[in-house]
Amino acid sequence: MKSHAKVVVIGGGVVGCSVLFHLARHGWTDVVLLERDELTSGSTWHAAGGMHTINGDPNVAKLQKYTINLYKEIEELSGQATGVHLTGGVLLAATEARLDWLRGVVAKGRYLGIELEEISPNEAAELMPLLDPKQFVGAVRNKEDGHLDPSGVTHAYAKAARKLGAEVERFTKVEDIVRRVDGLWRVITNKGEVVAEHVVNAGGLWAREVGRMVGLELPVLAMEHMYLITEDMPEVAAWNAKTGTEIIHAVDFDGELYLRQERGGMLMGTYEKANKPWSEYQTPWNFGHELLAPDIDRIAPSLEVGFRHFPAFQNTGIKQIINGPFTFAPDGNPLVGPVRGLPGFWVACGVMAGFSQGGGVGLALSNWMIEGDPGADIWAMDVARYGDWATMAYTNAKVRENYSRRFSIRFPNEELPAGRPLKTTPVYDLLSAKGAQWGVAYGLEVPLWYAPEGVKDEFSWRRSSDFTQIAKEVATVRDGVGLSEISSFAKYKVTGEGAAAWLDRMLACKLPKPGRMTLAPMLKEDGRLIGDFTLANLGPLDRDGEGWFLAGSGIAEQYHMRWFEKHLPDDGSVRIEALGAKLTGLSIAGPKARDVLAKATRSDVSNAAFPFMAIGRMDIGMAPCLVGRVSYTGDLGYEMWVAPEYQRAAFQALMAAGEEFGIGLFGSRALNALRLEKNYGSWGREYRPIYGPLEAGLDRFVAYGKEADFIGKAAALTERKQGGKLRLRAFIVDADDADVIGDEPIWFDGAVRGWVTSGGYAHHSKKSVAVGYVPKEIADESDGFEIELLGKRHAARMQATPLFDANFERMRA
Ligand SMILES: Cc1cc2nc3c(=O)[nH]c(=O)nc-3n(C[C@H](O)[C@H](O)[C@H](O)COP(=O)(O)OP(=O)(O)OC[C@H]3O[C@@H](n4cnc5c(N)ncnc54)[C@H](O)[C@@H]3O)c2cc1C
């Protein structure tokens, strides 16, 4: 075994071998994979080997497509058969709600280049002869569905990597990992030590244990999973003889089943509701090639449905039941990327669909390690989407929920209950008493809307029970004044003598003067967005000396801290702190907002003394607050930041002051309706690391000419010169009873040309709004667009100026 390597990859399952292959293919050949046993000694060997392109997140779906297309290449490179059978498949719907969901999947496929086609149950039965068409209302055909040999694929990755110069050390168990003072990693094994610049945790079933070696508690949990294999079936033999082809794959969502041919019989797997975690606290090191005891009672309810939906199963015997464990993150997507606070330590774990996702994970991670960027939008897989709040108990609750819902529909207005409430702010009970319906963002409970007595969310793809109430909340803001809780924003404090110069380099905007705020896009080296913030210069206002305040997307706190910390100078001249729950927030907005604030404070908040984008310290009632004159509602408004111990007092002072002005509460759904009619984008939707500032319409906040050489400046100047490829645009949709959610295709002139990033109903303007990206060549057309919604194309008109307050008179008043 070599004593030094650029990279040590820990784990020889399908994921570790894919990472090794991709590193070597990308040019890093001084890489070694350490496997404690034979390759495939974790989940990989007993997998059912199914693969498909469908994923709830379009960016993950793209990587799944990449993975499936890769098998041919690694087979040729390695000479190792992968056993790929691209049979195609049918996705089956037994209810109308499921069919609506499938239509959304077909629609997304159009711009992802995934060929999907809606077919009738009878057409599905012609393709998959075992199903009873009477049990279904519709289906979708997917040509990129199939199965493979799990061991063959893993060995093909490993052999191809070796051919490119990588090394694989089997029977080499990593026992400890220690960071040296020079930043290199000592990887200590039962056969000696390797010193490496980078370590990749691809430990699969043992990823938690490998993480613990560096003090990391990863949010992953293994679940038992069962599939059965039948005796040979005459129906299968007859079909094979008649068509000369295998029986195609089927996913029966309502039965929570997946099926495929296995030799002369069938394989049927299920994600049962009464699921069971495996080794909740500690995966035993002596586990390897054994299977778990099957428990047919647990899967019996699913099998009953299966036998009804696929009647031929009633006449066949079960040859074998496989029960094996594999790991999940709380939301079921992988955990990939560099770990904040551990430079050179990377993870590639929690991969629950290794044969659909392993290739994409390897590609993204190798790009990230070698180029400094994953090269794709992989937010849905980024390990930074979780923070310290994703504890072991939280993970346990969420993984079990996610497993039991693997094939369930999640409606756009559906909030999942497991692991909640976890983080709450001091006004939680006060808002609950007013009818707050809660959602969750980065572990924190956030008020979505306020339900009148006896009304609650009815889950639907269409406008639902909250529609009338959201209209009222919007009217409260636009016609008078509304109050909302805004603690879910991420808040950062930047201090130190080097702070201004550092921010000037990190952010693409011009730095504001003391007491002022600005919108602040943050770019990567390739000139694309990596953040958008409100930056405030606290200057003399800051009690600890010169300081800066940043507010940004709450879900991206860890993501942004990882980026900030990577770029901090070593000399300690700049300090940045994520304030998290140390600072809570309230906001008031609407034409009467200033009247309320003036009544609640002794400070002068007149337009002359406290104009748009001013920031200052003032007491609200008795509570000391930092108040900024800005509002995401696009109206006259204020954001107030307050230490949690004062949040209730500030809330009560504002509500009391607002009484005579008719103050009411509004939640994040109303806020969405308000920001849409102002064309305001949001991080994670409109603003993502694949778009440039010009494309995203944030170029007006980029100080291209400023002296500081901000990160991404050269690339941003090129984008400005060459015009980029896309443009973010708002559309008014001729919708009937449903509005866009996000990820719907935008048609122009009979072809799919773009995609929706978000939208909804703008209650004040009484318009259904969609926001999305289209190629710049058609970005100035006003008509001819259509947006596909629940399987139907709706006419859409481009809306160039904001529907509300296009001249910014209200917010600057
Ligand atoms: C019953 C069942 C059916 C499944 N069906 C499918 C399917 O149809 N399609 C699909 O895509 N996925 C399926 N899966 C899931 C799939 O198996 C996983 O997604 C995949 O195997 C994860 O691979 P991995 O490399 O991350 O982890 P693992 O396969 O667990 O590999 C981790 C490796 O790391 C090694 N290791 C760990 N710690 C150390 C250490 N300290 N030192 C050295 N080596 C170490 C282990 O020995 C192991 O070989 C199924 C899983 C099960 C259990």
Side-chain angles (χ1 to χ4, degrees):
M1 186 171 68
K2 52 163 74 178
S3 59
H4 286 76
K6 189 153 188 83
V7 185
V8 167
V9 178
I10 302 170
V14 64
V15 174
C17 290
S18 166
V19 170
L20 190 77
F21 164 72
H22 282 89
L23 286 169
R25 192 180 67 171
H26 204 131
W28 277 13
T29 50
D30 180 18
V31 291
V32 57
L33 182 146
L34 307 180
E35 165 56 51
R36 65 183 182 109
D37 201 311
E38 282 290 2
L39 296 181
T40 76
S41 289
S43 302
T44 299
W45 76 273
H46 46 224
M51 57 178 187
H52 52 84
T53 43
I54 309 296
N55 187 283
D57 184 281
N59 298 297
V60 177
K62 272 190 228 167
L63 289 173
Q64 294 191 182
K65 190 174 160 65
Y66 163 82
T67 302
I68 292 172
N69 293 337
L70 183 68
Y71 291 131
K72 205 164 170 270
E73 180 185 335
I74 56 165
E75 195 167 81
E76 278 167 11
L77 240 168
S78 64
Q80 161 78 49
T82 55
V84 167
H85 294 227
L86 209 55
T87 58
V90 281
L91 310 169
L92 300 163
T95 63
E96 288 298 331
R98 171 60 65 185
L99 194 55
D100 279 347
W101 179 83
L102 279 177
R103 286 176 179 145
V105 172
V106 174
K108 261 187 244 176
R110 294 193 212 288
Y111 64 80
L112 292 172
I114 298 173
E115 227 183 294
L116 300 166
E117 181 197 359
E118 185 179 336
I119 55 175
S120 69
N122 285 331
E123 285 168 321
E126 279 166 27
L127 295 167
M128 203 289 183
L130 305 185
L131 68 84
D132 173 4
K134 292 193 290 303
Q135 306 291 337
F136 301 100
V137 299
V140 164
R141 182 178 188 185
N142 181 8
K143 291 192 178 143
E144 288 160 305
D145 219 313
H147 58 94
L148 42 69
D149 167 17
S151 168
V153 161
T154 310
H155 281 95
Y157 275 129
K159 278 190 190 163
R162 273 205 218 100
K163 280 202 169 161
L164 294 167
E167 290 177 30
V168 174
E169 296 287 346
R170 293 171 307 139
F171 303 100
T172 308
K173 181 181 170 223
V174 174
E175 293 180 333
D176 204 0
I177 308 167
V178 179
R179 186 138 194 262
R180 302 198 324 190
V181 280
D182 61 2
L184 297 179
W185 293 96
R186 290 174 58 210
V187 182
I188 299 155
T189 80
N190 57 341
K191 291 192 178 159
E193 193 173 311
V194 191
V195 173
E197 263 174 63
H198 301 271
V199 175
V200 179
N201 175 1
L205 280 180
W206 295 266
R208 259 182 332 186
E209 286 66 26
V210 173
R212 285 174 192 156
M213 293 178 190
V214 293
L216 187 65
E217 192 60 48
L218 286 163
V220 284
L221 175 69
M223 299 293 288
E224 292 193 10
H225 181 70
M226 280 180 269
Y227 62 83
L228 62 83
I229 295 169
T230 68
E231 305 284 0
D232 288 357
M233 292 166 74
E235 294 84 351
V236 172
W239 176 265
N240 294 161
K242 185 174 123 195
T243 63
T245 61
E246 256 180 284
I247 291 194
I248 64 171
H249 278 222
V251 177
D252 173 3
F253 289 95
D254 302 281
E256 311 195 305
L257 298 160
Y258 59 88
L259 297 88
R260 70 166 171 85
Q261 184 172 340
E262 172 70 18
R263 299 178 192 276
M266 290 294 293
L267 178 156
M268 184 190 268
T270 180
Y271 286 81
E272 69 280 9
K273 289 275 179 253
N275 53 52
K276 196 169 163 205
W278 179 74
S279 289
E280 287 171 272
Y281 310 109
Q282 173 80 43
T283 306
W285 285 108
N286 60 1
F287 185 80
H289 286 267
E290 50 278 63
L291 284 168
L292 307 174
D295 179 356
I296 197 148
D297 287 349
R298 243 178 37 232
I299 57 171
S302 303
L303 297 187
E304 241 173 66
V305 182
F307 289 6
R308 202 168 62 243
H309 288 183
F310 305 89
F313 277 79
Q314 292 166 18
N315 309 320
T316 190
I318 296 174
K319 192 160 74 182
Q320 195 185 4
I321 298 180
I322 306 284
N323 184 9
F326 64 113
T327 54
F328 294 76
D331 60 5
N333 273 331
L335 297 174
V336 179
V339 176
R340 179 184 163 204
L342 296 173
F345 191 86
W346 306 76
V347 292
C349 57
V351 185
M352 62 78 53
F355 302 98
S356 301
Q357 299 175 336
V361 166
L363 176 72
L365 196 74
S366 64
N367 284 340
W368 215 336
M369 294 174 74
I370 297 173
E371 308 285 345
D373 188 89
D377 185 342
I378 62 134
W379 167 250
M381 311 200 294
D382 193 329
V383 62
R385 71 190 184 279
Y386 291 103
D388 294 348
W389 47 273
T391 57
M392 194 190 275
Y394 169 88
T395 301
N396 194 303
K398 244 16 208 176
V399 167
R400 295 170 77 152
E401 178 186 65
N402 180 66
Y403 185 99
S404 73
R405 296 181 48 90
R406 169 94 174 105
F407 287 143
S408 305
I409 295 174
R410 179 165 182 191
F411 292 96
N413 60 341
E414 185 171 4
E415 297 296 323
L416 303 179
R420 299 176 50 204
L422 177 58
K423 280 198 274 178
T424 56
T425 63
V427 293
Y428 179 76
D429 58 338
L430 298 179
L431 302 186
S432 291
K434 303 268 186 197
Q437 303 298 300
W438 297 95
V440 70
Y442 200 63
L444 180 73
E445 295 294 313
V446 288
L448 302 171
W449 63 293
Y450 293 85
E453 194 73 28
V455 180
K456 59 182 180 55
D457 257 333
E458 277 162 24
F459 304 142
S460 170
W461 300 107
R462 294 175 168 77
R463 291 175 195 156
S464 184
S465 48
D466 57 351
F467 192 77
T468 322
Q469 181 59 22
I470 294 172
K472 282 190 194 153
E473 292 175 24
V474 165
T476 302
V477 174
R478 289 285 186 245
D479 301 340
V481 56
L483 184 151
S484 68
E485 225 230 310
I486 54 165
S487 305
S488 62
F489 278 97
K491 291 91 39 185
Y492 310 88
K493 183 173 170 165
V494 187
T495 50
E497 70 268 23
W502 182 72
L503 286 167
D504 216 12
R505 171 155 168 71
M506 296 302 292
L507 303 171
C509 62
K510 195 162 164 266
L511 297 191
K513 299 211 157 38
R516 303 285 303 158
M517 296 181 290
T518 188
L519 291 183
M522 184 161 76
L523 309 182
K524 302 179 285 164
E525 280 83 359
D526 67 1
R528 296 188 185 179
L529 294 164
I530 192 162
D532 77 309
F533 300 91
T534 306
L535 169 69
N537 183 344
L538 301 183
L541 298 169
D542 186 33
R543 289 169 184 149
D544 307 331
E546 191 192 49
W548 300 80
F549 177 76
L550 279 168
S553 163
I555 55 167
E557 183 186 283
Q558 185 89 330
Y559 176 84
H560 285 139
M561 279 305 282
R562 184 177 65 192
W563 180 258
F564 289 139
E565 285 172 356
K566 181 178 166 195
H567 292 92
L568 277 181
D570 295 333
D571 60 8
S573 60
V574 184
R575 291 176 296 282
I576 181 160
E577 184 189 357
L579 298 170
K582 285 191 204 158
L583 204 60
T584 52
L586 297 168
S587 165
I588 52 170
K592 294 185 183 156
R594 180 161 38 229
D595 299 327
V596 174
L597 185 62
K599 199 169 166 202
T601 184
R602 301 293 296 266
S603 301
D604 182 358
V605 292
S606 65
N607 194 35
F610 201 61
F612 180 59
M613 292 310 245
I615 189 159
R617 289 202 183 274
M618 56 187 82
D619 295 344
I620 292 178
M622 291 187 289
C625 297
L626 180 66
V627 180
R629 192 178 145 190
V630 65
S631 172
Y632 196 44
T633 61
D635 219 311
L636 169 67
Y638 304 86
E639 289 179 349
M640 286 149 263
W641 302 106
V642 54
E645 58 271 32
Y646 297 117
Q647 195 200 19
R648 288 172 79 93
F651 173 78
Q652 278 153 341
L654 288 167
M655 290 303 280
E659 203 178 337
E660 70 171 285
F661 304 103
I663 197 165
L665 296 171
F666 68 103
S668 60
R669 289 187 185 165
L671 184 61
N672 187 48
L674 292 160
R675 66 102 190 169
L676 280 173
E677 58 186 14
K678 196 70 189 174
N679 289 4
Y680 284 169
S682 72
W683 181 258
R685 278 288 173 196
E686 286 70 42
Y687 309 142
R688 297 187 69 128
I690 45 177
Y691 307 123
L694 177 66
E695 294 179 325
L698 290 177
D699 51 317
R700 64 188 187 281
F701 303 111
V702 174
Y704 293 96
K706 78 174 179 180
E707 211 178 299
D709 186 19
F710 61 88
I711 296 174
K713 186 177 189 177
L717 282 165
T718 307
E719 188 209 25
R720 190 169 66 158
K721 199 160 146 220
Q722 297 178 349
K725 290 196 174 115
L726 304 168
R727 288 294 180 274
L728 182 66
R729 290 289 184 258
F731 299 88
I732 308 302
V733 188
D734 195 0
D736 19 78
D737 62 343
D739 306 296
V740 298
I741 307 156
D743 300 330
E744 294 84 356
I746 303 176
W747 293 72
F748 181 76
D749 216 6
V752 173
R753 303 295 304 275
W755 55 90
V756 170
T757 49
S758 70
Y761 193 75
H763 289 266
H764 177 73
S765 309
K766 302 201 167 24
K767 298 273 190 303
S768 183
V769 176
V771 187
Y773 281 90
V774 292
K776 71 173 177 208
E777 293 74 29
I778 57 165
D780 295 321
E781 303 286 342
S782 54
D783 291 313
F785 291 96
E786 288 173 303
I787 292 181
E788 189 172 339
L789 199 46
L790 300 177
K792 207 174 125 197
R793 276 149 67 176
H794 296 254
R797 191 170 33 81
M798 191 177 288
Q799 179 67 32
T801 52
L803 285 163
F804 172 74
D805 195 25
N807 299 322
F808 298 85
E809 282 156 14
R810 280 271 283 259
M811 62 197 241
R812 293 179 198 273

